[in-house]
Structure formats: C-alpha cells, structure tokens
C-alpha cells in the first residue's frame, strides 16, 4: 500500500476513541497499514503529542477487539497532534506545516487522507479550509472520509454535497455508512452473485417478500439533543435501512467493481416507488416507545427521557412497505423496520419464498411453512435456510428445519476496520455514493413532511416489544407476518 498521511479531525472525540484508533491498531497488527504512515490528530484541546499518544494507547487498550499490545509503542510513534480551531481558516497553516514536515521526515509521498469525525456543522468549513490552506493541494492523491449525518433533509444534503464538491471530487469522497462495513451486509454481494442457486431465485417469480429489521434495545441514551430532531427516519431509515435494501435488491453487475456495484444499487433506489405525502400513512408506521420493560428492568417512556420534549412527536420506531418498480421486484413488498427500545438487539434480513406447492399437502393439518433465507447481520452473523423436512420421530410430519451457517464472531474484523482498510486502498464499494444518498433523501422527504403535518398517526409501543400493532397489521394486510419475532 502506498505511504500516506492520515489527518483525523475530531481526534479527541468519542468515535475516534471507540472505533477509529482500535480499528487502525488492528489493521496495524495485520500489516494492513501503509508503511510508513503518519497520523495527525486534530482537535480543539491543547494537547501535546505525548498526551495524544497516551490517549490513543488507552483507547486501544479499552476498546480493541484484540488484546496483543506488544506493538503498541511502535504504533503510537506515528501519531502527532495539532490543536486547530476549525472555524478559523488561518489556523490550518500550522497543520499544513506539520503534515508537510512529517512527510519530509518519513519520506512519505504526498498522499493525504482526511477524516471528518466531527459534528456535522463543521463538515463544510473544514473541507473548504483544506482547500484554501493548500493542505489539499498534493502531488499525490487526496481523499475525504466523512461521517454521518449527511444532511438533515434533501436540501441540506445537497448544499453540503456542493460545498464538499468545491474541494473534493466525488471519487475522492468516502461517505461512511457503518452498516456497509458490517461483514454480513458486505456478504450480501457474494450471497447474491457467487451463488447461482440464489441468483436464480432472486426475483419476483420466487420471492414473496423481504423483511429488513434493525431493532435495538437501547433508548435515546444521552443523545436527545440530536435524536429528538432526527427521529428513526433520519437516524436509521434514510441511511442504514435503505442501504441494506439496496444491497439486498441489487441485480448482477457486469463486473464486480466499486463502480458497477454502486451503479446497481443506484438503479434499485431509482426504481423505489416514490410516496406521495398523502399516502404515507398507508405504507409507513410511526411509533414512539412508551414505558415498559427491557430484560425484566423497567424502562421509562421516550417523553420521560432527559432532554426530550414532553410532548415530542419524534419517531423512535418506523416500519414501512417499500415497492421497487422494476421487472425483477414488481409485486414483491420489501418491509423495513427499525426501533429503539425493542425487545431484542437484532439486525436481520429475512427473505420469504413463495410456495406454489402449498396445495399438494392439502390433506395435512398444517400447511408447510414457507422457505426462508435468513441473513443475520447482528449480533449473530450467519446465514440460515429454512426448509421443510419430514420428522420421522413425529409420524413423518412435515416440519421446518434450519440449515444453518454461523460465521461466529471470533476474529471477525469490525465494520470500521473493513471500511478504513478499503478507504486506505482506495476502494469505495462500501461507501455511500452521493446519488444513493440523494435518492434516499428524496424518498424520505414526503415522509418527513407527512410527519411534520401530522398526517400519520403516532403509535405508542411498550418498551421491550416489537413495536406497535400497526407494524404487524402492515404485513397482515398483505397476508404476511414478521418472521422470527419471539
Ligand atoms: C447509528 C445511530 O448510526 O447506528 C444510532 O445513530 C444507532 O442511533 C446505531 O444506535 C446502531 O448501530 P449498530 O451498529 O449498533 O446497529
């Protein structure tokens, strides 16, 4: 891998500590870091290099998935710190000198990776100062990794993209959606394209419906300031759920390359049927958690959480029916669902197959269960196929059994490791292209408007449940049910 400088804005922040440093260290242990490399941490605090290195060491010790610390001394030597008030373009000059000085010392080519792990209001000022300070004028390449949220609605996302576009080309921008870093989400590609058996079935002739769930047991935690403005629709649906939908529904590309895969995803999103504001209530369920119990412990209602407005109408749960109007998926509903304070932390994709043979077993009391392909994304990573089989110890009754592959969790790299490694080597397959982001916002816009104008009822659901009954009815209305709810 080419040598490079890695400039991290938000170096003293939570994400850096929990995810980025441990990921970099694990890549380092696997010899997947460029050599030599220089990491410059940028933050507001007035830290020395030693303080910064000590903080990196501590976060790796606390959060790394691996315990080996022998290479830590060598690892932290690559880190330098620079305090910058990012709202002041002049303050970028010392940063520019430090980056250049380290490049000279370590004989690093002028390849520069910038990582924005800061509050979104700083995204545009930082990117424009990278340009004006000369930091972004390199003889080698430059790239920008940017965290979420990418905008608050369609308009703000477009404005942000325009501002970034003044300093970086689309191919240089790596928009993080950490769901795309999850190994089983990445594995959807192989499942669909490396298995002729599934490829043959991946369409409306064989598939009855697709169910994508991302349930969480946590509530709003300390993030009410952000979350009460965002809601599940912006926090999870616009990005993570629609990304999983695109990954599941994409069609075989001509080649397996970042461009081709992203083009296929884009095509899916282009074919997603737009909702009119007035019809949102028919297809989207909006929920908010009421008091309840999570693992036998009482949990307060959302409106009772610190920092939440007592009359808040914010959605902590969304279920939606999505139609993809292309020849492959016409007539196949995709159901998506996400919520805080649900019964279990589980991210999964369930594909329910049609059953044209159902009638054959009409003399049986129970009709055979449908075949299901279950892709478990979290917490257990695996693929399972539910098939029907005779049970000899139950008078030959036909019962569903599960053919199960579990990836296990030991040794599996974390999302941030996979994503960072890809960005370091310039592979943007699992980063969100601007068009995907824009199309997702376009689809979400009428939902935001319908919520704002209260055209959609707000259903309360007890903490510790699978959401409001209305989410169940969304499927029963079509003759289906959510699978695997316990
Ligand atoms: C984040 C959201 O993007 O994803 C959080 O802002 C949410 O609200 C989190 O909790 C869920 O991620 P994961 O990886 O735990 O499923």
């Amino acid at each position: 891998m080419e040598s490079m400088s890695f400039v991290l804005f938000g170096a003293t922040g939570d994400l850096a500590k929990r995810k980025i440093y441990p990921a970099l260290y694990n890549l380092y242990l696997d010899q997947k870091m460029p050599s030599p490399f220089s990491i410059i941490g940028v933050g507001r605090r007035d830290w020395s290099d030693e303080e910064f290195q000590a903080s990196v060491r501590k976060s790796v010790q606390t959060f790394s998935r691996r315990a080996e610390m022998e290479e830590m001394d060598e690892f932290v030597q690559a880190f330098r710190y620079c305090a910058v008030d990012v709202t002041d373009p002049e303050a970028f000059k010392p940063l520019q000198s430090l980056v250049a000085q380290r490049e000279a010392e370590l004989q690093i080519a002028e390849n520069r990776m910038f990582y924005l792990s800061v509050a979104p209001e700083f995204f545009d000022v930082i990117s424009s100062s990278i340009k004006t300070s000369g930091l972004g004028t390199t003889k080698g390449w430059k790239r920008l990794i940017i965290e979420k949220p990418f905008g608050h609605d369609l308009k703000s996302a477009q404005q942000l993209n325009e501002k970034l576009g003044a300093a970086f080309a689309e191919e240089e921008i790596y928009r993080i959606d950490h769901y795309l870093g999850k190994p089983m989400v990445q594995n959807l590609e192989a499942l669909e394209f490396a298995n002729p058996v599934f490829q043959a079935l991946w369409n409306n002739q064989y598939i009855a419906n697709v169910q994508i769930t991302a349930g969480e047991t946590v509530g709003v935690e300390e993030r009410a300031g952000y979350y009460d403005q965002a809601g599940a629709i912006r926090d999870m649906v616009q990005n993570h759920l629609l990304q999983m939908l695109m990954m599941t529904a994409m069609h075989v590309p001509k080649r397996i390359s970042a461009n081709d895969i992203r083009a296929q995803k884009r095509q899916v999103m282009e074919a997603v049927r737009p909702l009119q504001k007035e019809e949102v209530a028919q297809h989207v369920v909006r929920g908010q958690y009421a008091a309840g119990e999570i693992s036998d412990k009482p949990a307060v209602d959302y409106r009772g959480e610190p920092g939440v407005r007592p009359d808040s109408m914010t959605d902590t749960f969304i279920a939606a029916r999505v139609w993809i109007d292309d020849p492959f998926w016409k007539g196949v509903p995709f159901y998506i669902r996400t919520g805080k304070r649900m019964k279990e932390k589980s991210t999964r994709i369930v594909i329910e197959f049609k059953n044209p043979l159902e009638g054959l077993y009409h003399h049986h009391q129970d009709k055979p269960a449908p075949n299901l392909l279950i892709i478990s994304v979290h917490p257990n990573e695996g693929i399972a196929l539910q098939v029907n089989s005779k049970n000899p110890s139950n008078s030959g009754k036909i019962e569903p059994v599960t053919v199960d592959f579990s990836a296990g969790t030991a040794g599996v790299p974390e999302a941030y490791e996979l994503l960072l490694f890809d960005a370091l080597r310039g592979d943007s397959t699992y980063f969100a292209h601007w068009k995907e982001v824009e199309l997702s916002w376009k689809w979400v816009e009428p939902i935001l408007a319908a919520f704002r104008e209260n055209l959609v009822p707000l259903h309360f659901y007890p903490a510790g449940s699978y959401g409001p009954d209305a989410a169940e009815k969304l499927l029963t209305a079509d003759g289906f049910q959510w699978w695997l709810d316990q």
Side-chain angles (χ1 to χ4, degrees), residues 68-375:
E68 308 98 282
M69 291 297 143
E70 297 81 37
E71 296 181 44
M72 179 57 86
D73 289 342
E74 214 175 71
F75 176 69
V76 293
Q77 271 169 31
F79 288 73
R80 295 290 181 278
Y81 185 77
C82 189
V84 175
D85 169 5
V86 294
T87 60
D88 173 11
E90 282 299 301
F92 280 69
K93 289 207 174 123
L95 176 61
Q96 144 81 6
S97 318
L98 179 61
V99 172
Q101 179 199 323
R102 292 291 288 160
E103 282 169 351
E105 275 169 23
L106 300 169
Q107 299 191 341
I108 291 181
E110 270 186 30
N111 297 319
R112 295 176 181 169
M113 172 80 89
F114 303 97
Y115 192 134
L116 307 190
S117 169
V118 294
E121 62 261 36
F122 300 120
F123 288 166
D124 59 340
V125 285
I126 296 178
S127 106
S128 92
S129 287
I130 287 174
K131 184 180 162 88
T132 51
S133 65
L135 256 178
T137 316
T138 69
K139 291 201 199 81
W141 51 252
K142 65 175 187 306
R143 291 178 197 142
L144 181 77
I145 306 182
I146 181 162
E147 278 293 336
K148 58 166 275 199
F150 203 93
H152 187 72
D153 53 16
L154 178 62
K155 194 155 163 250
S156 58
Q158 285 169 333
Q159 285 167 345
L160 171 61
N161 200 54
E162 238 168 71
K163 288 194 176 137
L164 298 182
F168 292 89
E170 174 62 28
E171 309 75 71
E172 295 173 329
I173 303 178
Y174 291 69
R175 295 177 196 79
I176 293 229
D177 182 309
H178 78 281
Y179 270 58
L180 287 177
K182 293 186 188 266
M184 288 313 287
V185 174
Q186 298 197 347
N187 204 11
L188 286 166
E189 175 202 312
L191 196 67
E192 292 159 41
F193 304 148
N195 294 295
V197 167
F198 291 134
Q199 184 41 231
L201 303 178
W202 222 251
N203 57 55
N204 57 4
Q205 204 184 333
Y206 298 104
I207 290 177
N209 71 78
V210 176
Q211 308 178 5
I212 303 177
T213 298
E216 298 189 86
T217 51
V218 294
V220 63
E221 302 181 291
E222 282 86 48
R223 303 160 73 216
Y226 150 76
Y227 193 87
D228 206 36
Q229 303 298 322
I233 186 79
R234 293 181 173 89
D235 188 50
M236 295 289 291
V237 175
Q238 184 273 334
N239 40 42
H240 308 322
L241 289 189
L242 290 178
Q243 281 293 342
M244 286 196 283
L245 178 131
M246 286 181 246
M247 289 293 294
T248 309
M250 66 183 176
H251 311 303
V252 199
K254 283 204 199 73
R255 292 171 303 145
I256 300 292
S257 73
N259 277 345
D260 293 70
I261 287 193
R262 299 207 297 180
Q264 294 301 330
K265 287 171 64 189
R266 187 150 74 234
Q267 268 182 29
V268 168
M269 209 50 228
E270 274 162 358
V272 167
R273 188 183 302 169
L275 286 172
Q276 302 304 316
K277 191 171 74 178
E278 293 70 25
E279 56 182 11
V280 170
Q282 267 169 267
H283 298 287
V284 178
V285 174
R286 163 163 78 149
Q288 188 186 86
Y289 62 83
E293 261 186 20
I294 302 266
S295 325
D296 296 332
K297 289 206 194 83
V300 298
D301 59 326
Y302 176 70
R303 291 178 177 180
E305 298 272 19
V308 172
R309 295 161 294 162
D311 57 352
S312 170
M313 295 292 283
T314 296
D315 45 297
T316 64
F317 175 96
I318 297 280
R321 180 194 294 115
V322 184
W323 296 105
I324 301 173
D325 287 330
D326 70 14
F328 294 87
W329 296 118
K330 205 165 182 39
V332 181
F334 280 67
Y335 302 105
I336 57 178
R337 162 175 78 157
T338 183
K340 297 273 186 206
R341 284 284 189 237
M342 287 176 67
K343 184 157 186 202
E344 52 169 345
K345 169 82 186 164
S346 169
T347 305
R348 58 180 183 246
I349 300 167
V350 179
I351 299 186
E352 176 178 340
F353 292 94
K354 291 185 173 169
N355 189 358
L357 302 178
E358 217 171 51
L360 274 182
Y361 285 92
H362 60 274
H363 57 284
H364 279 242
Q365 271 179 335
D366 302 314
K367 56 178 190 176
N371 291 143
L372 301 178
L373 178 66
I374 301 152
I375 299 144

